[in-house]
Amino acid sequence: MILVEIKLRRIQGFLFASPKLRDMVGANVMLGEAIRLGLTRKAIRHGSADLSAFDLQLPGADPEDPARPRAGEEFDSDDPAALARYGILAREGGHFRACFPDLSTAQAFCSDAQSFLLSQLPGLRFTIHWRDLAAGQFAHDQKVPFDEAVDHVQEDAIIAAPMFAVCSGLGSGRAVDTYRNEPVSDGVLNRRQAYEDFRNFGERAAATTGDVIGLMEPGLREHGCLPKDLKALCGREYMAVIHADGNSIGNAVKQIIDRHIVNDDASFLTREAAVEKFFFENRLAFRKAVNTALKGRFAGKDGDPKTEGRTRPYQLLMLGGDDLLMVCRARDAMRLVLEITQELKKLSGAPTIGVGVAIASPNVPFHHLNGLAETLTASAKRLYRCLEGVRRPASVIDWHVETGSWSNDPLAQRRRHHLIVSETPDGREHCVTIQRPIPILPDAAGRQGQGEAEQVGPDLSCLNGLVDAAAELHAHRVARSQLRALVPALGRGRRLSTFTYRDAPSDLLKILGDTAKVGLQEPWRQSAPGCWITPIPDLVEIFEIDRLATAGRPTAEAS
C-alpha cells in the first residue's frame, strides 16, 4: 500500500498576499475547497484504497458540528470514519493524506494533484511525498519550487500598455483581466469570484462554499451583512487582529506516536488514525467554542439581531485545526477571547490556547498587523511553557495597542521601557511596569504574594480580572485623566510612585481600593524576592480600548 502526503507551505502568505478583505476571504475559500473537496475527489477518481478492513476506530461526524454540510455534498462533513472508506486519512490543517493500493495509481494521483494545485492555487507552495508502507520509508520526495508555481513579473519591466498592467490586488504580477475597472491577475480574479460565491449564502440561507468558514456562515448570518473591506467592518473604530493557536499540540502528537509501535502497514495506519482522531477532536472543539462565542457576543436578543441591516463587526479569516485568525472591532476583542476560552474550558479534552491580539487603525497594513499578532501569540505561548509543570495548563494572552501608523517590535520596547532597576538600602530592586503576557482565566493566574482569603473581586493578574475591573471603572465614570496620570509616575520607581498613587483623588482611590470592584489597594505587588510588578498600565490600556474605538464619533454616541 502507498501513502501519499501533500503538505501546503506558507499558507498565510497565500491567504494574505492581497491586503483587501474580499481577497483574503476568497483565498480561504479556494484553499479550503481545493484540499477538502478537490483533492478528495481526485483521490477517489484515481482508485484510492478502502481502509475499512483495518480496525482504525476513527470517529464519525458530530451532529453538533457548526460546520453544517450542504445538501447533496457528500464530502462537506468532517467525518474521518466515512473518509477512511475512500482511503483518506487527513485533509484538514494544510495536510492531505491518502492511501492507494499500488504505486501506479499513487503516481497518477500525484501528477494530477500537482497540476490541480498549480492551477487552482497559484502562488502556493506545497510538497508531495509518497511512501511505500511495506518498505517503511519514503521512496520518493517530490517538491514543487515556488518559482514554478508563480509567474514573477518585475514591475519596472512592464511598459505602459493595458495588456501589460500590474495586478492591482497583489502589487506585482501580470494583470490578465479587469474586475470592476481594476487590472487583476488570474489569482486575484479567482479570489474575488470565490468571495462572490461565499457571500451568496445570505440569499440562499445555506452554505454556498465547501470550506469550513463557508459551512459555518449560515449559522452566523443574523450578525449582519458581510463587510466589504476592513474599514467597513470597523466603521470609525479601531481594529483588532486576533490570532490563536493550541498549546503543546506537537508534544501531544509525539506522545501518541511514541505509544504506538509500528512494524507493518496495519500498525502504521492505526497510529495515523490515532493522530487524526486527536486532531479531529481538537478542531471540532475549536469550531464549537468559536461558534458559541460569536453567537453569544453578537447575536440579538428576543430574536432581534443586534446588527440587523448593518455590517458585521467581525470576519473569520482562518479556522483550521487549532488555529484561528480573525478581525473584529477593538472593543469586542478582549471579551471575545474570554468567551472562546471559557467555551473551550467547558469542552472535555479541548486544548488550551495561546492568543495574540494586535489593535490598531484599519489603515495600518494588514500584513504588519498579522505578523504582530503572530509575534504576540509566540510571546504568550512562552508564558504557557513557563507555567507547565508549575500550575495547571492555562490559556494565555499577549496584546499590543498601537495608536500610530506603524509599530516596531513591542517586545523590544517592553525590555527598554518597562523594566526599572534601582538600588535600595535592601539591595537591588527590579520593578516591572507591565504584566503581559498573562493567563486569560483566573484559575491559573493566582495572586502571588497574597493569601487565598484576600482574593476577593477581580484578579488583576489575568485578562478576565482586568476586563471586569475596567468595566467597573467605566460604570463609575472614572475620569480618564486621573487614571492615566498614574501610569507615567510608575517610571519613577516603586517608592515614589506609591506616594503618587496615595495622593490620587479620594474618589478614584475609593473605587480602585474596593475589593468588590477593582481591589487595588496598593500599586505594586511582590512577585519574587527583590522583584515587583504592577497591573496599572495593563488596566489603563484595557480601559482605554473602548475610548480608542469611539475616536472620531459624536460625543452622544460615544457615551
Side-chain angles (χ1 to χ4, degrees):
M1 187 175 294
I2 308 297
L3 173 69
V4 174
E5 180 176 15
I6 299 175
K7 292 183 179 180
L8 306 185
R9 306 289 189 183
R10 300 191 181 180
I11 292 176
Q12 292 196 31
F14 173 79
L15 293 178
F16 311 126
S18 171
K20 297 186 177 181
L21 180 62
R22 62 176 177 264
D23 294 343
M24 300 178 202
V25 174
N28 184 74
V29 172
M30 292 167 57
L31 184 68
E33 291 194 326
I35 192 169
R36 298 184 82 248
L37 305 180
L39 291 179
T40 298
R41 290 171 181 146
K42 287 189 176 296
I44 295 171
R45 191 178 303 125
H46 284 282
S48 53
D50 183 356
L51 303 180
S52 301
F54 300 93
D55 184 21
L56 300 183
Q57 299 181 358
L58 283 166
D62 190 316
E64 298 180 359
D65 190 344
R68 302 286 185 181
R70 297 168 292 176
E73 292 291 343
E74 182 182 4
F75 302 115
D76 276 359
S77 295
D78 190 357
D79 190 342
L83 290 171
R85 293 195 291 271
Y86 297 102
I88 312 298
L89 280 174
R91 59 167 191 172
E92 305 284 351
H95 292 77
F96 184 87
R97 297 161 72 86
C99 293
F100 294 85
D102 53 59
L103 184 58
S104 61
T105 56
Q107 288 176 328
F109 167 73
C110 289
S111 178
D112 196 7
Q114 176 181 333
S115 301
F116 173 75
L117 292 175
L118 288 174
S119 62
Q120 295 299 312
L121 305 175
L124 179 68
R125 293 185 178 185
F126 62 90
T127 57
I128 301 176
H129 309 266
W130 69 68
R131 174 178 182 174
D132 186 347
L133 297 185
Q137 60 184 0
F138 281 98
H140 188 78
D141 184 359
Q142 178 182 1
K143 296 183 180 180
V144 179
F146 182 59
D147 291 339
E148 292 182 14
V150 172
D151 184 12
H152 286 285
V153 179
Q154 295 296 327
E155 187 172 347
D156 57 5
I158 298 176
I159 61 175
M163 67 286 293
F164 296 120
V166 177
C167 173
S168 63
L170 301 177
S172 63
R174 183 175 62 251
V176 298
D177 205 340
T178 59
Y179 181 89
R180 298 180 181 176
N181 298 323
E182 293 182 30
V184 295
S185 63
D186 277 335
V188 172
L189 193 63
N190 293 341
R191 283 170 165 84
R192 296 188 181 174
Q193 183 56 56
Y195 174 75
E196 294 299 328
D197 294 339
F198 176 86
R199 68 187 298 217
N200 283 339
F201 80 89
E203 301 173 3
R204 304 184 190 180
T208 53
T209 59
D211 61 296
V212 170
I213 296 176
L215 295 175
M216 292 175 63
E217 278 297 328
L220 305 174
R221 64 179 180 272
E222 67 174 8
H223 300 169
C225 304
L226 289 176
K228 64 179 181 180
D229 54 38
L230 295 174
K231 290 184 180 179
L233 182 148
C234 299
R236 283 176 288 180
E237 303 185 10
Y238 269 53
M239 180 179 73
V241 179
I242 301 174
H243 180 257
D245 188 28
N247 290 323
S248 291
I249 301 299
N251 289 339
V253 172
K254 184 178 183 299
Q255 291 176 11
I256 294 173
I257 291 174
D258 291 343
R259 287 198 300 266
H260 289 78
I261 299 174
V262 175
N263 47 32
D264 56 16
D265 54 356
S267 58
F268 176 83
L269 292 173
T270 300
R271 186 187 72 183
E272 296 303 299
V275 173
E276 173 59 16
K277 180 182 178 182
F278 170 77
F279 282 126
F280 170 77
E281 292 171 347
N282 275 355
R283 63 179 178 259
L284 181 63
F286 218 58
R287 285 199 293 266
K288 288 181 177 179
V290 170
N291 185 70
T292 303
L294 290 175
K295 289 187 173 183
R297 185 68 186 158
F298 299 108
K301 297 179 180 179
D302 299 326
D304 183 22
K306 291 180 181 178
T307 52
E308 183 178 2
R310 303 180 186 177
T311 298
R312 179 191 297 177
Y314 70 89
Q315 180 59 52
L316 295 171
L317 298 178
M318 185 175 68
L319 183 57
D322 60 323
D323 289 334
L324 167 69
L325 184 69
M326 66 176 295
V327 290
C328 67
R329 296 176 305 193
R331 60 187 168 102
D332 294 318
M334 296 305 177
R335 282 291 182 190
L336 189 57
V337 169
L338 276 174
E339 290 170 15
I340 291 173
T341 307
Q342 288 164 350
E343 292 300 324
L344 280 172
K345 188 177 178 181
K346 295 176 185 177
L347 299 172
S348 176
T352 60
I353 54 175
V355 183
V357 181
I359 296 175
S361 164
N363 295 321
V364 177
F366 182 82
H367 75 274
H368 174 66
L369 292 180
N370 179 45
L372 181 57
E374 287 189 328
T375 299
L376 295 169
T377 303
S379 171
K381 290 169 76 73
R382 281 195 290 272
L383 172 63
Y384 172 84
R385 290 191 289 272
C386 292
L387 293 177
E388 263 188 316
V390 179
R391 298 180 179 140
R392 71 179 66 179
S395 293
V396 287
I397 186 173
D398 198 353
W399 74 88
H400 179 71
V401 178
E402 181 54 54
T403 56
S405 60
W406 194 259
S407 172
N408 294 318
D409 182 5
L411 305 185
Q413 292 180 11
R414 292 174 189 176
R415 287 190 289 269
R416 287 196 300 268
H417 303 299
H418 291 280
L419 175 63
I420 303 167
V421 181
S422 56
E423 297 292 341
T424 70
D426 299 326
R428 180 170 293 182
E429 186 174 83
H430 296 76
C431 296
V432 182
T433 60
I434 194 169
Q435 296 184 119
R436 288 167 273 166
I438 57 175
I440 296 175
L441 299 178
D443 58 345
R447 296 182 183 179
Q448 298 182 36
Q450 297 185 19
E452 293 294 328
E454 299 179 49
Q455 297 191 29
V456 180
D459 183 349
L460 300 182
S461 60
C462 69
L463 178 66
N464 193 22
L466 291 171
V467 170
D468 289 344
E472 289 287 345
L473 295 175
H474 279 296
H476 287 81
R477 298 184 178 273
V478 170
R480 295 175 64 199
S481 58
Q482 294 177 0
L483 192 62
R484 294 170 65 179
L486 299 175
V487 177
L490 298 171
R492 301 165 62 189
R494 182 172 66 88
R495 288 168 173 77
L496 290 177
S497 62
T498 300
F499 290 136
T500 302
Y501 179 82
R502 292 172 180 173
D503 286 339
S506 58
D507 290 344
L508 176 62
L509 288 179
K510 182 178 179 181
I511 297 170
L512 290 176
D514 191 334
T515 56
K517 295 181 175 65
V518 179
L520 189 64
Q521 288 87 8
E522 294 291 337
W524 297 91
R525 64 175 172 83
Q526 190 169 17
S527 59
C531 297
W532 297 81
I533 193 167
T534 176
I536 291 177
D538 294 321
L539 176 61
V540 173
E541 192 160 83
I542 294 290
F543 174 82
E544 285 287 300
I545 286 176
D546 283 354
R547 298 291 184 175
L548 291 171
T550 57
R553 286 188 161 196
T555 304
E557 185 179 356
S559 61

